[in-house]
Amino acid sequence: MNTKPMIALDFSTAEETKTFLTLFKDEELYVKLGMELYYQNGPEIVKWVKNLGHEIFLDLKLHDIPNTVYRAMKGLAALDIDMINVHASGGSQMMKAAKEGIMEGTPNKSNLPKLIAVTQLTSTTEEAMRNEQLIQASLMDSVLHYAKNTCEAGLDGVVCSAWEAAKIKEITSSDFLCVTPGIRPAGASIGDQQRVATPQKAHEMGSSYIVVGRPITQASNPVEVYQSIKRQWNGE
Ligand SMILES: O=c1ccn([C@@H]2O[C@H](COP(=O)(O)O)[C@@H](O)[C@H]2O)c(=O)[nH]1
């Protein structure tokens, strides 16, 4: 388990991101940069955050034909990131192509970024999965199926909810990563998330990393909320 909660920096501009990070000037963070920030600010913001010394999960959730994902990953791997992802529903060949792209594109081959795959988004319910994706399995079985495919394709782990982490580790291995968004401190607004857990519960259920966005970024005192979540996540 990584002791630092990942902070999802879901901002539109580099300015907002930089202002937020100045609050944490004495802390080495693990941050998640996603589509909102990357699509509007490009590789420059990734390099800028990396230069501050923070670890980076680049959450772009690639999902395309294997050749396109291979070529995109090869380019992204040059950014010196620590973790990156694809959608497991893109298939085993696509996931293997993503891995090949990373291996070829990473300048320091002894320090490859972790490659993980999204199973079912934490905003998805079993009902929505059945009605919209026409998957008739239970949500747990669908997540486990994608996790098994991901493991067999040679990736390092998955994005799932904390509720699925223990079972995923059972069918893969104890060091297969379960990165879990949908984290909400008790009483916090759930927003569009569906499969949520508190930091404490995620700790108990075997998450490897927790991802927390709005409860921290929209707090009136983000540093205080981050420290409180960090304590709960570490079982203190
Ligand atoms: O299944 C998934 C995959 C990714 N995410 C991302 O995590 C954060 C969660 O932010 P909150 O504000 O804490 O809800 C966000 O960047 C998502 O894109 C996810 O939530 N679920």
Side-chain angles (χ1 to χ4, degrees), residues 122-123 182-198 214-215:
T122 53
S123 54
I183 299 299
R184 292 290 182 268
S189 158
I190 286 172
D192 52 358
Q193 296 285 5
Q194 295 289 342
R195 307 199 315 282
V196 297
T198 62
R214 289 161 288 185

Side-chain angles (χ1 to χ4, degrees), residues 123-165:
S123 54
T124 299
T125 59
E126 185 163 282
E127 192 192 3
M129 184 192 80
R130 289 190 169 163
N131 294 339
E132 293 174 27
Q133 301 177 40
L134 293 185
I135 293 177
Q136 295 311 315
S138 67
L139 192 137
M140 178 65 87
D141 283 350
S142 170
V143 169
L144 293 178
H145 177 67
Y146 281 135
K148 193 163 167 283
N149 289 353
T150 304
C151 185
E152 285 171 2
L155 275 61
D156 301 293
V158 288
V159 179
C160 58
S161 88
W163 296 93
E164 296 113 30

Side-chain angles (χ1 to χ4, degrees), residues 13-70:
T13 65
E15 287 64 38
E16 282 171 283
T17 311
K18 292 176 182 181
T19 304
F20 178 82
L21 286 175
T22 54
L23 300 173
F24 291 89
K25 57 183 182 309
D26 299 324
E27 185 104 24
E28 283 181 12
L29 302 173
Y30 206 138
V31 297
K32 187 183 82 65
L33 310 184
M35 297 176 191
E36 182 181 351
L37 193 62
Y38 191 82
Y39 288 165
Q40 294 176 83
N41 299 276
E44 286 316 310
I45 188 69
V46 180
K47 293 178 194 160
W48 190 87
V49 173
K50 192 71 195 176
N51 269 336
L52 292 180
H54 302 309
E55 289 176 272
I56 297 181
F57 169 21
L58 190 56
D59 177 23
L60 296 182
K61 303 185 186 74
L62 276 67
H63 189 175
D64 208 320
I65 60 171
N67 180 58
T68 301
V69 168
Y70 159 75

